[in-house]
């Protein structure tokens, strides 16, 4: 006996509200007695972390002896649908006490599911099994459940976090000494974007002010005739300011840098990032501002939870990295905007997974903008580097 699942018009990626159609094919080489054939559509989110166990205080008030390490596993059923494809009201096979006799050959049972939009995470009680006389407890869930959109398929961080979707078929046999045959067919899933609010003119921004080191003005010294330095005599008063300070500092350049994204901050794979970078002069310093370097980086943070254990995993994607640019920014305008042509032709890679939040796994994104600015007069320049973080935002994965 064997059973397999054959999907109809199988796709490379499934999304919300798609139909999954197919058939469970049962192959028999001899007569068999079968009670039922069930097909399930399941989605499972599991996390597995290693760390110190959580041990409560004992009755004596002393802490129990700690073990070196413990592995905590947390499993949530984010999707669960089940149907019985056999028997059906139209079944014509002879039965006896709810058992149907099947002849050798190939038998097909069609099925159809519709992928929902939100998850259906319920509280599952742990199942205790006995193997070889020793109790084995299945991974349990917690009381923390979140009603959100279905998360995407995920396999990362050395099996610390795993989200998988599959169709499972089970052949149920009545005799207790005969095992039930099962098979699974996995498929990738990526959710669609939730409805966006109407467009507006608001923006999400990160802002930082910076004041450069004062610059010495040597122009006054160049225009005045040079004089030999005066050596103060013993017992004389302090030297005059004109002799000790031939140059005077100019007003230090004070600027404000902003990086902006549309609100709500949503970017789409295969499209450039709608980012704006503004530099505002906050005083009337004569120093000129030059753009020396620019780096835009996408930071992904995945928070994995397994009961009392928590772990953050970070990855980064560099969208643009330029140095030695030496671009002179406008001196007439108080508000200067960096040309978008440096990044608006670079699409976000389609390998970036969308943002999501479920019971035990959360993924969010930040944008890190690193700017190097040069300031000064024509004969002297100073370089300063600044980092700007944008708040968490969502990433949309387009699906056809």
């Amino acid at each position: 006996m064997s059973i397999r699942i054959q999907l109809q018009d199988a796709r490379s990626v499934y999304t919300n509200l798609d139909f999954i159609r197919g058939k469970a094919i049962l192959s028999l080489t001899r007569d068999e007695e079968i009670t039922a054939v069930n097909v399930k559509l399941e989605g499972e989110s599991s996390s597995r972390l290693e760390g110190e166990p959580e041990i409560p205080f004992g009755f004596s008030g002393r802490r129990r002896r700690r073990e070196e390490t413990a592995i905590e596993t947390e499993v949530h059923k984010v999707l669960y649908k089940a149907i019985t494809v056999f028997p059906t009201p139209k079944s014509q096979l002879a039965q006896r006490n709810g058992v149907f006799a099947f002849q050798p050959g190939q038998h097909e049972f069609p099925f159809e599911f519709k992928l929902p939009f939100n998850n259906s995470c319920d509280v599952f009680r742990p199942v205790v099994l006995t193997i070889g006389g020793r109790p084995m407890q299945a991974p349990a869930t917690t009381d923390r459940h979140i009603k959100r959109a279905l998360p995407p398929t995920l396999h990362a961080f050395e099996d610390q976090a795993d989200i998988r979707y599959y169709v499972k078929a089970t052949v149920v046999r009545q005799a207790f000494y005969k095992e039930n045959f099962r098979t699974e067919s996995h498929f990738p899933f990526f959710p669609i974007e939730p409805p966006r609010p109407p467009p507006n003119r608001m923006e999400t921004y990160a802002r930082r002010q910076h004041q450069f080191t004062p610059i010495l003005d040597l122009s006054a010294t160049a225009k005045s005739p040079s004089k030999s330095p005066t050596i103060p005599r013993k017992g004389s008063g302090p030297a005059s300011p004109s002799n000790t300070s031939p140059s005077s500092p100019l007003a230090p350049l004070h600027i404000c840098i902003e990086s902006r994204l549309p609100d709500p901050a949503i970017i789409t794979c295969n499209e450039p990032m709608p980012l704006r970078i503004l530099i505002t002069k906050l005083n009337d310093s004569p120093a000129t501002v030059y753009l020396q370097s620019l780096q835009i980086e996408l930071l992904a943070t995945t928070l994995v939870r397994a009961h009392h254990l928590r772990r953050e995993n970070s990855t980064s994607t560099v969208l643009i990295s330029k140095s030695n640019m030496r671009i002179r920014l406008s001196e007439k305008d108080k508000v200067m905007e960096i040309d978008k042509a440096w990044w608006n032709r670079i699409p976000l890679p389609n390998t970036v997974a969308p943002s999501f939040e479920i019971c035990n796994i959360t993924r969010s994104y930040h944008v890190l903008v690193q700017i190097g600015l040069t300031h000064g007069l024509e004969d002297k320049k100073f370089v300063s580097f600044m980092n700007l973080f944008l708040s968490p935002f969502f990433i949309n994965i387009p699906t056809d």
Side-chain angles (χ1 to χ4, degrees):
M1 175 189 294
S2 65
I3 187 171
R4 60 187 178 91
I5 295 175
Q6 181 178 338
L7 297 180
Q8 179 182 349
D9 301 329
R11 302 181 182 181
S12 58
V13 175
Y14 287 86
T15 187
N16 305 97
L17 308 180
D18 280 349
F19 285 93
I20 296 183
R21 299 181 178 92
K23 50 188 176 181
I25 303 175
L26 176 64
S27 301
L28 301 176
T29 56
R30 61 182 181 181
D31 293 341
E32 289 286 351
E33 292 184 346
I34 296 175
T35 303
V37 179
N38 300 323
V39 180
K40 300 178 181 179
L41 175 64
E42 298 188 29
E44 188 175 274
S45 170
S46 60
S47 55
R48 182 177 181 272
L49 296 177
E50 183 177 355
E52 293 184 353
E54 185 180 30
I55 304 176
F57 284 95
F59 293 103
S60 61
R62 297 181 179 179
R63 211 179 241 295
R64 298 179 184 177
R65 184 178 180 181
R66 284 183 177 270
E67 300 177 4
E68 293 183 357
T69 58
I71 297 178
E72 296 287 351
T73 303
E74 186 174 333
V75 180
H76 292 263
K77 288 287 185 181
V78 296
L79 176 61
Y80 186 85
K81 288 187 175 183
I83 58 174
T84 300
V85 295
F86 183 86
T88 62
K90 299 181 180 180
S91 301
Q92 299 179 357
L93 291 178
Q95 62 169 327
R96 184 181 59 182
N97 297 329
V99 179
F100 297 85
F102 280 77
Q103 297 180 354
Q106 186 169 288
H107 306 271
E108 298 180 355
F109 308 97
F111 62 85
E112 177 181 297
F113 292 101
K114 185 178 181 179
L115 288 168
F117 189 81
N118 293 325
N119 64 347
S120 56
C121 185
D122 298 323
V123 179
F124 289 86
R125 295 183 178 179
V127 180
V128 179
L129 304 176
T130 302
I131 301 177
R134 301 181 61 184
M136 304 292 292
Q137 185 172 350
T141 64
T142 64
D143 295 333
R144 183 181 183 274
H145 299 283
I146 300 176
K147 191 73 171 180
R148 294 288 189 275
L150 286 174
T153 302
L154 176 67
H155 304 284
F157 312 119
E158 300 179 354
D159 297 332
Q160 292 182 14
D162 183 74
I163 301 175
R164 58 195 183 102
Y165 294 87
Y166 54 90
V167 178
K168 181 169 67 174
T170 305
V171 179
V172 183
R173 298 198 287 182
Q174 187 179 27
F176 71 92
Y177 54 86
K178 294 183 179 180
E179 65 176 345
N180 296 334
F181 280 80
R182 296 179 177 85
T183 185
E184 296 179 359
S185 178
H186 295 253
F187 61 90
F189 174 83
F190 284 91
I192 61 176
E193 179 188 358
R196 291 192 183 186
N200 56 67
R201 303 182 65 178
M202 300 178 63
E203 291 182 316
T204 299
Y205 66 91
R207 178 183 298 166
R208 179 177 177 181
Q209 295 187 13
H210 182 76
Q211 182 171 326
F212 290 93
T213 305
I215 304 175
L216 297 179
D217 186 7
L218 303 178
S219 58
T221 305
K223 294 179 181 178
S224 61
S226 59
K227 298 181 179 180
S228 59
T230 303
I231 302 176
R233 297 180 179 179
K234 185 176 181 180
S236 61
S240 61
S242 59
N243 294 335
T244 58
S245 301
S247 59
S248 59
L250 297 175
L253 178 61
H254 190 193
I255 62 173
C256 176
I257 303 178
E258 296 181 10
S259 55
R260 300 184 179 184
L261 283 173
D263 184 45
I266 301 175
I267 63 176
T268 305
C269 287
N270 298 325
E271 293 184 5
M273 184 178 299
L275 178 68
R276 298 175 60 207
I277 302 177
L278 305 177
I279 302 176
T280 306
K281 277 189 175 183
L282 300 180
N283 63 351
D284 296 328
S285 174
T288 306
V289 180
Y290 298 84
L291 178 62
Q292 183 72 13
S293 63
L294 176 63
Q295 179 169 311
I296 302 175
E297 192 173 355
L298 182 65
L299 305 178
T301 303
T302 305
L303 174 61
V304 183
R305 295 177 291 268
H307 300 287
H308 67 282
L309 299 179
R310 303 287 188 273
R311 186 164 301 171
E312 282 191 0
N313 300 278
S314 300
T315 58
S316 63
T317 302
V318 178
L319 302 181
I320 178 177
S321 181
K322 299 290 184 180
S323 60
N324 298 325
M325 301 173 71
R326 300 176 182 176
I327 298 177
R328 185 173 184 172
L329 301 180
S330 175
E331 298 179 359
K332 300 179 180 179
D333 302 329
K334 227 178 180 184
V335 179
M336 300 164 285
E337 183 173 358
I338 299 178
D339 190 2
K340 299 179 183 178
W342 289 104
W343 62 83
N344 66 357
R345 301 175 185 175
I346 303 176
L348 186 70
N350 57 6
T351 55
V352 179
S355 311
F356 65 90
E357 180 184 6
I358 53 174
C359 309
N360 57 338
I361 305 173
T362 302
R363 169 169 286 179
S364 60
Y365 289 90
H366 294 77
V367 172
L368 171 61
V369 180
Q370 297 181 343
I371 302 177
L373 295 177
T374 304
H375 84 293
L377 302 176
E378 295 182 358
D379 57 346
K380 195 169 186 180
K381 298 178 182 178
F382 301 87
V383 183
S384 294
F385 297 93
M386 282 148 284
N387 298 336
L388 295 176
F389 284 94
L390 278 177
S391 302
F393 60 93
F394 298 96
I395 289 185
N396 171 38
I397 302 295
T399 54
D400 299 330

